[in-house]
Amino acid sequence: MEKENKPEAVPDAAELSEQEIAENKKIADLKQEALLDKQIARRRFIAFGSFIVLQAAAFGGWKWLANSPVEAKTVTAGAKAPLRRALNQTELFCRRLFSNNHLVKTYPKEMVPKKLRSNSYEGMPDKFNPADWKMQVIKSPTETLTLTIEDIKALPKTELIYDFKCVEGWDEIQHWAGVKFTDFVAHYKLETQAAMEYVGFATEDKQYYVGIDMPSAMHPQTLLAYEVNDGPIPILNGAPLRLIIPVKYGIKNLKRIATISFSNQRPPDYWAERGYDYYSGL
C-alpha cells in the first residue's frame, strides 16, 4: 500500500517567529515601495513628455504666427492677419451677447480712492484752456451742431461709480458724473444719427480718436462726463468733457472730446491702427 502524500503544512501567523513576521512585512513594504516608485516614474515620464509636446506645439504656433503676414491696412492695422481674424470673430461673438440689460457693477462712494489715476495723454497738448472749449457734433456733411460745456451741464445729470479697467492690466473704482449719451441723443434729436452703426469721438487736434459700435454707445451707463469725485475733471483726466463707457476698456474712454460723428462704417480708431482690438469690450 502506497504511502499517501500529504501537503506540507503552512505555519499560520501564530506559529511564525517575531523575526519572520518582521522580515515578511519588510519584504511586503519593499514590494509596495517598488510599485509606488514605478507608478511615480511612469507619471513623471507622461508629465515630462506632455510638457515637451506642449512646448513644441507652442513654439510651432508662435513661429507660425510670427511668420504670418501683417493684416492689410484698413481702419485696423499693425496686427498679424490670423490674430486680426481671431479678434474680429471674438467681436462678433461678443456683439451677439451684448444687451442693454447687462449693467456693470456699481460701488459705494466709500470705495473710491481720493486720488484719481491718470494715464495716457495722446491728443492732449499742454496748452489748453477749458474755458475756450467747444464740441462739434457732425450731424451730416452739411450740418454741424456746436455746444459749450454749459450746454452739456444743462441736461439731466447722472452719476456712476464703477471699476474702470485698463488693457495694461490695472483697474480702479472711479466716480464720474455727466449726461447719459442716450439723454444727449434724445435732447438734441439725434435719433437718425444714432440709428447708424457707429459713432466716432476725437480730440481737437485729431491726434486721438476712437470708434464705438452704436449699441455700446447707447448703453444706459455710457456718459459724457464733466465731473469726477464730485468736482470738475482735472486737465490730465480729460477736462472739460470726456467719454466714460464702462462696457469698454480704458482705451475707448476718450478724453477731452472735441468732435462727435456718426457713420455706418467703422470710424478710425487710434489703438486699432496699432494692432489692438477694435471692439475692446468687457
Side-chain angles (χ1 to χ4, degrees), residues 11 14 49 65 84-85 90 106 110 112 114 133 159-160 184 197 207 220 225 237 241 251-252:
L65 184 60
R84 181 60 67 188
R85 287 196 295 270
T90 300
T106 57
E110 295 75 36
V112 179
K114 293 181 180 179
W133 176 89
E159 296 187 41
L160 176 67
F184 174 80
E197 294 186 30
Q207 294 302 301
N237 293 102
L241 189 74
I251 55 176
K252 291 289 192 176

Side-chain angles (χ1 to χ4, degrees), residues 19-32:
Q19 182 179 357
E20 289 173 323
I21 293 174
E23 288 178 352
N24 288 344
K25 184 177 184 303
K26 185 176 180 180
I27 291 172
D29 290 343
L30 288 173
K31 287 182 178 179
Q32 184 64 29

Side-chain angles (χ1 to χ4, degrees), residues 105-166:
K105 183 178 179 180
T106 57
Y107 299 85
K109 281 188 178 182
E110 295 75 36
M111 296 185 66
V112 179
K114 293 181 180 179
K115 186 176 181 181
L116 179 68
R117 180 168 181 165
S118 59
N119 191 55
S120 182
Y121 308 108
E122 286 85 357
M124 297 178 62
D126 294 334
K127 294 181 179 180
F128 174 72
N129 184 1
D132 297 332
W133 176 89
K134 287 183 175 58
M135 181 176 70
Q136 293 188 322
V137 182
I138 303 172
K139 299 178 67 174
S140 72
T142 59
E143 186 179 5
T144 298
L145 179 66
T146 300
L147 302 172
T148 67
I149 193 63
E150 298 306 320
D151 294 326
I152 303 298
K153 289 182 177 180
L155 303 182
K157 178 180 173 181
T158 299
E159 296 187 41
L160 176 67
I161 302 174
Y162 81 108
D163 193 12
F164 181 98
K165 298 181 185 298
C166 179

Side-chain angles (χ1 to χ4, degrees), residues 66-275:
N67 293 328
S68 297
V70 177
E71 64 176 314
K73 185 175 181 179
T74 55
V75 72
T76 63
K80 294 292 183 177
L83 178 58
R84 181 60 67 188
R85 287 196 295 270
L87 290 173
N88 289 341
Q89 288 301 313
T90 300
E91 173 181 345
L92 290 175
F93 176 78
C94 291
R95 293 184 73 162
R96 291 189 187 104
L97 294 179
F98 184 86
S99 169
N100 279 346
N101 294 323
H102 297 160
L103 303 180
V104 302
K105 183 178 179 180
T106 57
Y107 299 85
K109 281 188 178 182
E110 295 75 36
M111 296 185 66
V112 179
K114 293 181 180 179
K115 186 176 181 181
L116 179 68
R117 180 168 181 165
S118 59
N119 191 55
S120 182
Y121 308 108
E122 286 85 357
M124 297 178 62
D126 294 334
K127 294 181 179 180
F128 174 72
N129 184 1
D132 297 332
W133 176 89
K134 287 183 175 58
M135 181 176 70
Q136 293 188 322
V137 182
I138 303 172
K139 299 178 67 174
S140 72
T142 59
E143 186 179 5
T144 298
L145 179 66
T146 300
L147 302 172
T148 67
I149 193 63
E150 298 306 320
D151 294 326
I152 303 298
K153 289 182 177 180
L155 303 182
K157 178 180 173 181
T158 299
E159 296 187 41
L160 176 67
I161 302 174
Y162 81 108
D163 193 12
F164 181 98
K165 298 181 185 298
C166 179
V167 292
E168 294 175 352
W170 60 268
D171 66 293
E172 182 178 77
I173 295 176
Q174 298 180 349
H175 175 202
W176 297 93
V179 56
K180 286 184 180 182
F181 190 71
T182 51
D183 290 344
F184 174 80
V185 166
H187 180 83
Y188 287 105
K189 297 179 171 50
L190 299 171
E191 289 83 358
T192 300
Q193 289 75 16
M196 296 184 183
E197 294 186 30
Y198 295 94
V199 55
F201 298 84
T203 56
E204 186 175 19
D205 60 6
K206 304 295 189 289
Q207 294 302 301
Y208 197 72
Y209 39 91
V210 298
I212 307 290
D213 58 288
M214 194 62 73
S216 295
M218 297 296 284
H219 185 272
Q221 291 174 308
T222 299
L223 299 180
L224 299 178
Y226 50 80
E227 285 185 3
V228 66
N229 293 346
D230 295 317
I233 298 176
I235 294 292
L236 292 180
N237 293 102
L241 189 74
R242 64 168 292 165
L243 179 64
I244 291 296
I245 180 165
V247 295
K248 301 288 188 184
Y249 279 105
I251 55 176
K252 291 289 192 176
N253 290 242
L254 183 133
K255 300 175 182 177
R256 200 179 295 173
I257 304 169
T259 60
I260 300 178
S261 59
F262 304 87
S263 173
N264 282 319
Q265 285 75 43
R266 285 182 169 183
D269 188 275
Y270 181 89
W271 286 110
E273 294 174 354
R274 289 157 177 79

Side-chain angles (χ1 to χ4, degrees), residues 49-66:
S50 300
F51 174 78
I52 294 298
V53 170
L54 290 173
Q55 288 293 311
F59 177 76
W62 172 83
K63 189 174 182 181
W64 170 76
L65 184 60

